[in-house]
Amino acid sequence: MQTRNRMNTTAASTKPKVTAAAPAATSAPGKKRAAWDLKGQVTDMKDKVSYYKGQVQSLSEEKARLQSTTGQLQAQMQDLSQRNEDLSQQNEDLSRQLHSMETKLLSEQRKLLDSEREVQRLTALSQKQESELVAEKSLVQELRTTGDSMAQQLKDKEGRLICLEDEKSRLQTIVSEKSEEIIDLKERITQQDTQIYNLETERRRLHNTVQELKGNIRVFCRVRPTLPTEKASSAGHIVFPPSDEKAIVLTKMEESHVGRDKGQTVKYDFNFDCIFSPAASQADVFEEISLLVQSALDGYPVCIFAYGQTGSGKTYTMEGPEHLSMDTMGMIPRAIRQIFASADELKCKGWQYKFTASFLEIYNETLRDLLINRPDKKLEYDIRKVSSSSNDVHVTNLRYVEVSSVEEVHELLRTAKTNRSVAKTALNDRSSRSHSVFQLKIEGENSIRDVRTSSVLSLIDLAGSERLDRSLSTGDRLKETQSINTSLSTLGMVITSLCNKDSHIPYRNSKLTYLLQNSLGGNSKVLMFVNISPLEENFAESVNSLRFASKVNECVIGTARANRK
């Protein structure tokens, strides 16, 4: 301001016109602007700048006129230069302030926009919350209604609970009474189990008594039917007396030795435990031996064998035809079915059984395992005692198969039938040339009564017996026939010795009798099928077979005993 005053003083003394305009110029920027009126302030500054520019121009003109007074004006020029620099600095400061203010203004505008958007968001949120509040109010109303309903239900449930508690008390009383009844029933069941066991024991005893009354060695005679290729009248020489079901008569017209005279009719009468005519079915035959098969489960050794000449139907009786059916299956598969069915029925009485099967043949006094398709020729099969303290025997290297179902045994029977030795003779083109022996070892245990049983069920299809002069066998077939007849003769000798109670029983004279020694002795139950042919041409063989069977039927070998521990 001091510089400005000096300039004004100098200008006034030199050129009055300039000093006259200066107050007017200085009065303009002296007007007070509001602090927020930045634009006005900028305008004022611009006016000041214009004013100063005018003064600079005036001073320049005055410089030209006042060159004579350079000394004085130089000082004034320096002052003006300094003032100009100050004004420039002020201008720059104002520009910076203006830029800062513009920046702040833009920032404020952005903040204002953000504020507007926030207001909009808050407004939308408020509307949403108002809607939710309305929904919550509605839900609260529904909950109040539900609460009232639940309270009513709770009240009903409490009443129901009281009723149930009363019912519970009544049922607890009933349960207590029933528990006492159950305890009483358990005691009665225990007593009944004891009675059932005693009755079962009595049944076994009575069953054994019945078998003893029928005889330890029982003999059944079966006459096979004629085949379609045979004459229907072939069986006319065999008579079944209607007055005696256990009798069979064979008749034959013998030629007279005096030429033309008629011959006399010769009769051969035989009596056995049971006679089966050609009309008898496999089921009829098995019905008669089923009780004997049952004895095997009771712990008795049981032996059933078929004896007769070649072609008399032994294999059919014991095994059945080539293609089995329920009607035609033989004694072996039927016995197996009964054994497993009875074992299942006894499970409820505490019995558990283990079954072990074997199947072999005796061919020319040589043992062969029928359950092996390709036998090893190096293997030797010997009959030996299980131990020095036991009379039980077993066959070394023989395959013993543990079985648990009828189907498993039937599969073994099919394998054995395929492997059995058969050959053609003049009497039968499918003649069995070996003894087949099927054995089922039965081991039972009743853990409730601590009782154990052990027995062997032996089912044997003997080789066909035939006289050498009628079989027309030669070579190996002749040797087979001789071996078969020898073993069958030994079987007869053993049975006779047992009947006579001889001190020495010739079991070792034959592999067959040696293997079956425990199934033929006094502790076992034995049944013999004698099969005869209906053909009159086999009359002599039939008579021989029936005579042998009669001798067996007369034998009493003692009382059978069960192997029970």
Side-chain angles (χ1 to χ4, degrees), residues 162-264:
I162 294 172
C163 295
L164 289 176
E165 287 178 349
D166 295 338
E167 182 69 11
K168 177 184 176 182
S169 300
R170 186 182 68 81
L171 290 176
Q172 285 178 340
T173 304
I174 295 175
V175 167
S176 178
E177 295 174 355
K178 294 297 181 182
S179 297
E180 295 177 357
E181 291 181 7
I182 289 172
I183 293 172
D184 182 58
L185 287 174
K186 286 182 177 179
E187 293 177 355
R188 292 173 60 187
I189 288 172
T190 303
Q191 294 174 358
Q192 289 178 356
D193 286 342
T194 303
Q195 292 177 0
I196 289 172
Y197 176 76
N198 294 334
L199 290 173
E200 179 66 18
T201 303
E202 182 66 12
R203 182 199 67 77
R204 294 172 186 268
R205 187 187 67 80
L206 293 175
H207 173 71
N208 188 49
T209 301
V210 170
Q211 296 300 314
E212 289 176 359
L213 292 173
K214 291 181 178 181
N216 291 91
I217 298 183
R218 303 176 64 197
V219 178
F220 291 174
C221 176
R222 186 179 192 186
V223 182
R224 74 164 175 84
T226 56
L227 302 177
T229 57
E230 299 167 344
K231 294 181 180 180
S233 60
S234 297
H237 63 291
I238 301 177
V239 179
F240 301 96
S243 59
D244 189 355
E245 295 180 351
K246 296 184 179 182
I248 183 172
V249 179
L250 271 65
T251 62
K252 184 177 182 181
M253 183 70 68
E254 290 190 350
E255 295 181 0
S256 173
H257 297 289
V258 190
R260 298 181 179 178
D261 293 342
K262 293 183 177 179
Q264 296 180 349

Side-chain angles (χ1 to χ4, degrees), residues 32 37 332 339 346 472 540:
K32 187 78 172 178
D37 191 7
I332 296 178
I339 288 291
L346 290 173
L472 303 179

Side-chain angles (χ1 to χ4, degrees), residues 61 80 92 109 156 190 193 200 213 222 371 443 524:
E61 294 174 352
L80 289 175
E92 290 177 1
Q109 287 177 349
D156 295 340
T190 303
D193 286 342
E200 179 66 18
L213 292 173
R222 186 179 192 186
L371 300 183
E443 298 173 281
S524 62

Side-chain angles (χ1 to χ4, degrees), residues 10 98 128 160 165 184 199 258 294 427-428 504 507:
T10 306
L98 178 61
K128 180 180 178 181
R160 177 63 178 167
E165 287 178 349
D184 182 58
L199 290 173
V258 190
Q294 182 66 34
L427 294 181
N428 182 15
H504 173 70
Y507 289 123

Side-chain angles (χ1 to χ4, degrees), residues 448-463:
I448 299 175
R449 301 294 175 181
D450 193 23
V451 178
R452 293 175 180 81
T453 63
S454 178
S455 63
V456 176
L457 173 63
S458 301
L459 301 169
I460 303 120
D461 179 12
L462 295 175

Side-chain angles (χ1 to χ4, degrees), residues 295-418:
S295 297
L297 274 179
D298 296 339
Y300 292 91
V302 175
C303 178
I304 302 175
F305 62 90
Y307 175 90
Q309 74 174 104
T310 299
S312 59
K314 300 185 303 302
T315 302
Y316 180 86
T317 297
M318 296 305 293
E319 300 179 15
E322 289 290 333
H323 304 288
L324 292 179
S325 66
M326 292 299 295
D327 294 330
T328 62
M329 65 172 57
M331 301 305 105
I332 296 178
R334 290 177 186 272
I336 295 304
R337 283 184 176 275
Q338 177 177 323
I339 288 291
F340 278 95
S342 299
D344 287 339
E345 292 175 0
L346 290 173
K347 283 182 179 179
C348 63
K349 299 178 182 178
W351 284 96
Q352 296 292 330
Y353 287 94
K354 175 184 175 182
F355 302 99
T356 306
S358 64
F359 210 150
L360 60 82
E361 71 172 357
I362 304 175
Y363 176 72
N364 281 348
E365 285 300 294
T366 302
L367 302 181
R368 292 179 57 192
D369 193 343
L370 293 179
L371 300 183
I372 298 179
N373 293 325
R374 295 181 179 179
D376 188 351
K377 295 182 180 180
K378 295 180 181 180
L379 289 179
E380 294 184 359
Y381 299 97
D382 294 326
I383 303 172
R384 296 179 182 176
K385 287 188 176 182
V386 174
S387 64
S388 58
S389 61
S390 173
N391 290 326
D392 294 339
V393 297
H394 76 290
V395 179
T396 60
N397 298 318
L398 185 69
R399 185 185 178 199
Y400 291 92
V401 182
E402 186 173 335
V403 292
S404 58
S405 67
V406 175
E407 290 72 21
E408 290 180 6
V409 181
H410 283 184
E411 184 62 31
L412 296 180
L413 295 179
R414 284 189 287 269
T415 301
K417 177 174 268 190
T418 302

